[in-house]
Amino acid sequence: MASAKIVYASMTGNNEEIADIVSEALENLDVDVDVSEISQADAEDFEDVDICIVATYTYGDGELPDEAVDFFEDLEEEDLANKIYGVCGSGDTFYDDFGKSVDDFDAAFQKSGATKGAETVKVDLEAEEDDIEHLEAFAKSLVEKAANN
């Protein structure tokens, strides 16, 4: 059975909900899932799973959430070759840098040597029905990529 770790940063609860949606989708695909708030996780936690996922929000004018900075810096230093990763998160299209932290975490995973298993998913504020479908497709893509890895 494949295993996944989802780490999320959430100020308003939107990314906790996104993490729950992805977790449920993965469990429905027979994946063993562990979910943690980013301040309670270490980047090295990803060494013990097949699929690595970050769900994050973007703060202010494109900044990483304060509680995610240490995790982000540690992630860039990890060796996650042979791991599959995906990044998703919520933001507000009102800002010019909509979802920039999602892109930043995507780059950090690339630096770690992990293999991208799904296109990033950015949600405007709360997950609506079409966002849920995108997140479920995101989960499915990660599982398919892990099965072929």
Side-chain angles (χ1 to χ4, degrees), residues 14-25:
N14 291 341
N15 282 296
E16 184 174 6
E17 179 186 7
I18 287 169
D20 289 344
I21 292 165
V22 174
S23 175
E24 184 176 329

Side-chain angles (χ1 to χ4, degrees), residues 134-149:
H134 288 129
L135 291 165
E136 289 171 344
F138 168 85
K140 184 176 184 209
S141 180
L142 291 169
V143 171
E144 289 171 353
K145 190 77 170 182
N148 296 322
N149 194 21

Side-chain angles (χ1 to χ4, degrees), residues 55-90:
T56 184
Y57 66 94
T58 300
Y59 190 75
D61 293 318
E63 291 97 38
L64 289 169
D66 286 344
E67 68 271 25
V69 172
D70 289 343
F71 186 93
F72 176 84
E73 291 171 351
D74 291 344
L75 178 61
E76 289 184 307
E77 303 300 318
E78 279 294 312
D79 177 6
L80 297 177
N82 300 319
K83 304 293 180 183
I84 302 299
Y85 81 88
V87 186
C88 54
S90 70

Side-chain angles (χ1 to χ4, degrees), residues 5-9 14-23 26 52-58 65 85-91 98-106 109 116 118-124 131 134-136 138-139 142:
K5 173 81 175 177
I6 302 173
V7 175
Y8 70 91
N14 291 341
N15 282 296
E16 184 174 6
E17 179 186 7
I18 287 169
D20 289 344
I21 292 165
V22 174
S23 175
L26 289 169
C52 312
I53 302 165
V54 169
T56 184
Y57 66 94
T58 300
Y85 81 88
V87 186
C88 54
S90 70
F98 171 65
K100 183 176 180 301
S101 291
V102 171
D103 299 332
D104 292 344
F105 268 101
D106 186 52
F109 270 119
K116 189 171 188 170
E119 290 304 311
T120 59
V121 177
K122 296 179 184 179
V123 174
D124 185 22
D131 298 311
H134 288 129
L135 291 165
E136 289 171 344
F138 168 85
L142 291 169

